[in-house]
Amino acid sequence: MYNLWYWPGIQGRGEFVRLPLEAAGIDYRDCARELGAEALVADMGTYDCRPPFAPPYLEMNGMALAQVAAILLFLGERHQLAPSNMGDRLWLHEVQLTVTDFVAEVHQVHHPVGTGRYYEDQKPEALRIAEEFREERMPKFLGWFENAAGCHPGDWLIDHHWTYADCSMFQLIEGLRYMFPRRMKTLEADIPALLRIHGLVAEIEGIRRYCASDRRLPFNTDGIFRHYPELDGE
Amino acid sequence: MYNLWYWPGIQGRGEFVRLPLEAAGIDYRDCARELGAEALVADMGTYDCRPPFAPPYLEMNGMALAQVAAILLFLGERHQLAPSNMGDRLWLHEVQLTVTDFVAEVHQVHHPVGTGRYYEDQKPEALRIAEEFREERMPKFLGWFENAAGCHPGDWLIDHHWTYADCSMFQLIEGLRYMFPRRMKTLEADIPALLRIHGLVAEIEGIRRYCASDRRLPFNTDGIFRHYPELDGE
């Protein structure tokens, strides 16, 4: 049983951890959903040594493990959600770290000039970077993930089983469809392998159950993927 | 012998890989420094499967391993540049991933509204985010790294030996002193443990030799850490 701590009310970066936990049926408690954001802030203050920089983090025996990619690396090894040989394990981690980079750029689209300020205070700047993001960064990242998904002979990113990174591909597609529905309509023609993985992950029993439950929050404009129609375009 | 590929002419993200290689005296070839940027672009095009998304990457037996934190995780395990038990190993990786996040924000300071555009085309926006970065983000990140450096009883971040993450702390201090000399003058009073590590890393024989050589490029305004006086402040 793991204690997962993440901001309640959004999918955010925490969702990249929730999905493989749910897919594998690993028991976890989504602490701040039960106890609220104040409990999360209070919990973060209890670690004198090795505190998390930011949620999400897993709490185990009084220790916190933060950073999505590190959490997934750990869960991957502990629960066989990743291949065991070093080359494949590092490759999968590399894919996940590229997700981290992509998510940081997604965040920059709606917060280009102030991570602590409201979107409404930086709309002209967001319009400017959104155009580059749609035209250049989305095709570049999605093209790279598509290659990762397509160059392997099996159905999944690697091996003949889903891994945590397959779950991340699912979440990227979900998030981008919400954030940029018009742009994704154009780009989806070029990412058949990613869409195949998206469909397969959606059919994993644990994911089906999760997405049908109220544990899966809807996307909203407080999370990482935010739908502001003015930032979208074909 | 490793083949390291990174843009010639800048320290950039590649420096986080070079430093532990140099500190440990591990043999590597800095390929694009010898062969030029065009050779790097050409090399990136040779991987049908599992290509690097971006430099830096290590090439080994025709395979590429990209992403600074993944490269360091690998080098840490292979060359004992990190502790061997899982808890400490993951903690160190978590520190390195927080460096990744910080470096992404450093980059956003001079490229807030266009990663592919020149700084000169986004100066007003850069001025705006630089203020928040100096006032809020620098103390938050440096405070967290200081806690990581200070809560351990020994001299280093962990263990009684330097690790790749100690080298990264060195590089952060070096980069920030170049980028924000006035701001760092104020903040350095609050980071004694980080400055201790910075000094100790500077004294590692391999680092001393490296920094005295022409392999250590000077910082410049093409890299990640860029000195634009107008973005600095006390």
Side-chain angles (χ1 to χ4, degrees):
Chain A
M1 160 73 106
Y2 297 106
N3 286 326
L4 172 67
W5 288 92
Y6 190 66
W7 303 114
I10 59 170
Q11 292 186 16
R13 288 182 172 84
E15 203 68 8
F16 291 98
V17 179
R18 283 189 197 101
L19 286 170
L21 289 170
E22 295 279 354
I26 295 166
D27 208 17
Y28 73 103
R29 188 177 166 206
D30 208 335
C31 300
R33 288 258 175 98
E34 285 177 34
L35 305 169
E38 283 160 31
L40 167 56
V41 173
D43 188 75
M44 285 181 71
T46 60
Y47 303 91
D48 290 334
C49 208
R50 305 188 178 184
F53 181 81
Y57 60 94
L58 279 191
E59 186 261 307
M60 298 168 283
N61 310 318
M63 307 262 286
L65 174 62
Q67 285 282 357
V68 168
I71 296 169
L72 295 178
L73 189 74
F74 166 77
L75 291 174
E77 293 186 24
R78 171 76 69 97
H79 297 280
Q80 292 81 51
L81 310 182
S84 56
N85 80 73
M86 187 183 242
D88 287 349
R89 196 161 53 88
L90 281 169
W91 162 247
L92 210 69
H93 189 50
E94 187 180 324
V95 171
Q96 191 63 45
L97 290 171
T98 309
V99 171
T100 302
D101 287 350
F102 191 41
V103 166
E105 293 199 22
V106 166
H107 186 265
Q108 187 174 346
V109 167
H110 46 77
H111 281 81
V113 292
T115 54
R117 293 178 192 132
Y118 290 111
Y119 166 68
E120 286 69 22
D121 298 331
Q122 45 195 310
K123 267 178 86 164
E125 295 86 355
L127 282 166
R128 206 173 147 189
I129 194 171
E131 188 183 342
E132 182 194 68
F133 187 80
R134 289 193 316 267
E135 298 294 323
E136 294 168 34
R137 305 306 285 171
M138 282 176 75
K140 185 174 159 84
F141 275 99
L142 288 175
W144 189 83
F145 291 123
E146 174 67 15
N147 181 277
C151 74
H152 179 261
D155 281 337
W156 305 96
L157 270 176
I158 209 168
D159 265 354
H160 300 289
H161 193 272
W162 64 267
T163 63
Y164 63 75
D166 291 285
C167 294
S168 293
M169 294 302 111
F170 168 84
Q171 181 66 2
L172 282 189
I173 300 294
E174 292 276 296
L176 291 172
R177 280 179 174 172
Y178 165 73
M179 186 168 177
F180 298 107
R182 291 172 60 207
R183 183 60 176 148
M184 281 300 276
K185 214 163 179 180
T186 303
L187 292 178
E188 287 197 13
D190 300 324
I191 53 169
L194 284 179
L195 296 183
R196 179 194 73 219
I197 287 176
H198 174 270
L200 287 168
V201 170
E203 285 169 25
I204 296 170
E205 180 59 24
I207 296 291
R208 278 208 300 127
R209 260 202 311 263
Y210 173 61
C211 288
S213 76
D214 57 8
R215 297 196 303 287
R216 171 79 164 178
L217 298 178
F219 286 104
N220 61 42
T221 50
D222 293 317
I224 297 289
F225 295 102
R226 300 186 181 195
H227 181 56
Y228 297 120
E230 62 273 21
L231 301 185
D232 196 7
E234 289 172 17
Chain B
M1 160 72 106
Y2 296 107
N3 285 327
L4 172 66
W5 288 92
Y6 190 66
W7 302 115
I10 59 170
Q11 291 186 15
R13 289 182 170 85
E15 203 68 9
F16 292 98
V17 179
R18 284 189 198 101
L19 286 170
L21 289 170
E22 296 278 354
I26 296 166
D27 209 16
Y28 73 102
R29 187 177 167 207
D30 209 334
C31 300
R33 290 256 176 100
E34 285 177 34
L35 306 170
E38 283 160 31
L40 166 56
V41 173
D43 188 76
M44 285 181 72
T46 60
Y47 302 91
D48 290 335
C49 209
R50 303 187 179 185
F53 182 79
Y57 60 95
L58 280 191
E59 186 261 307
M60 298 168 285
N61 311 317
M63 307 263 288
L65 174 62
Q67 284 284 355
V68 168
I71 295 170
L72 295 177
L73 188 75
F74 165 76
L75 291 174
E77 292 186 25
R78 171 75 70 96
H79 298 280
Q80 291 81 53
L81 311 181
S84 56
N85 79 74
M86 187 183 242
D88 287 349
R89 197 161 54 88
L90 281 168
W91 162 247
L92 210 69
H93 190 51
E94 187 180 325
V95 171
Q96 190 63 45
L97 291 171
T98 309
V99 171
T100 303
D101 287 350
F102 191 41
V103 166
E105 292 199 22
V106 166
H107 186 265
Q108 188 174 346
V109 168
H110 46 77
H111 281 80
V113 291
T115 54
R117 292 178 193 133
Y118 290 111
Y119 166 66
E120 285 68 23
D121 297 331
Q122 44 195 312
K123 267 177 86 164
E125 294 86 356
L127 283 165
R128 204 172 148 190
I129 193 171
E131 188 183 342
E132 181 194 69
F133 187 80
R134 290 194 315 269
E135 299 293 323
E136 292 168 37
R137 306 306 285 171
M138 282 177 74
K140 185 173 159 83
F141 274 99
L142 288 175
W144 189 83
F145 290 124
E146 174 67 16
N147 181 277
C151 74
H152 178 259
D155 280 337
W156 305 96
L157 270 176
I158 209 169
D159 264 353
H160 301 290
H161 193 272
W162 65 267
T163 63
Y164 63 76
D166 292 285
C167 293
S168 293
M169 294 301 111
F170 168 84
Q171 181 66 3
L172 281 189
I173 299 294
E174 292 278 296
L176 291 172
R177 280 179 174 172
Y178 165 73
M179 187 167 177
F180 297 108
R182 292 172 60 206
R183 183 59 176 149
M184 281 300 276
K185 213 164 180 178
T186 305
L187 292 177
E188 287 198 14
D190 300 324
I191 53 170
L194 283 180
L195 296 184
R196 180 193 73 220
I197 287 175
H198 174 270
L200 287 168
V201 170
E203 285 168 25
I204 296 170
E205 179 58 22
I207 296 291
R208 277 208 302 127
R209 260 203 310 262
Y210 174 60
C211 287
S213 77
D214 58 8
R215 296 196 303 286
R216 172 78 165 178
L217 298 178
F219 286 103
N220 60 42
T221 49
D222 292 318
I224 298 289
F225 295 103
R226 301 186 180 195
H227 181 55
Y228 297 120
E230 63 273 20
L231 301 184
D232 196 8
E234 289 172 16

